[in-house]
Amino acid sequence: MRTSIWMIYNCQKIEFALTRFIELNNEQIELCFTNFEDAQQIANPIGSWITDKIFKPGDWISSGNPPPMSCSYLVIKNSYSNENSQYIVELITLCLRLTFPPPVIISKAGTYIEL
């Protein structure tokens, strides 16, 4: 399983989850734009990964970043192939940066890989 998540800083916190399906390189991708509380409720292993790696200090985020509870998130909820991983992550990152100009900050993608 391979999935990714982006933290979005300095934008208005959303109060609900918005899910959309898109097709990239012949793969169906389920994107979920959500808040921290709803992101933790996504089916495991994604939900527990978000709690363990984002919320707990010293892991993925650094102490200089805003608190994860005040950020929005974009989560790929389903698995995608290794062959398309770089293309998918780069394209979604570009789309986020075009959609949310500064002062909004888009994190690098955190990628969960289950072996």
Side-chain angles (χ1 to χ4, degrees), residues 4 10 16 23 29-30 35 39 45 53 57 66 69-70 74-76 89-90 92 97 100-101 105 107:
S4 297
N10 295 334
F16 57 90
E23 189 170 316
I29 304 294
E30 183 179 5
N35 58 41
K53 292 295 180 187
M69 296 77 68
S70 63
L74 182 68
V75 180
I76 297 178
V89 167
E90 288 178 358
I92 291 174
R97 291 197 171 136
F100 297 102
I105 300 169
S107 74

Side-chain angles (χ1 to χ4, degrees), residues 74-87:
L74 182 68
V75 180
I76 297 178
K77 290 177 69 174
N78 61 324
S79 184
Y80 55 87
S81 70
N82 290 337
E83 297 80 28
N84 282 330
S85 64
Q86 183 177 0
Y87 173 79

Side-chain angles (χ1 to χ4, degrees), residues 15 37 61 110:
E15 299 302 322
E37 293 80 14
I61 64 167

Side-chain angles (χ1 to χ4, degrees), residues 6-54:
W6 291 261
M7 292 175 71
I8 305 167
Y9 314 135
N10 295 334
C11 75
Q12 184 176 358
K13 182 179 174 184
I14 62 170
E15 299 302 322
F16 57 90
L18 176 65
T19 302
R20 294 289 183 257
F21 291 90
I22 60 171
E23 189 170 316
L24 296 174
N25 265 7
N26 298 319
E27 283 199 61
Q28 187 80 3
I29 304 294
E30 183 179 5
L31 294 174
C32 180
F33 187 66
T34 188
N35 58 41
F36 181 72
E37 293 80 14
D38 290 341
Q40 292 181 89
Q41 303 306 316
I42 296 173
N44 286 330
I46 299 168
S48 62
W49 176 61
I50 290 168
T51 301
D52 294 340
K53 292 295 180 187
I54 293 176

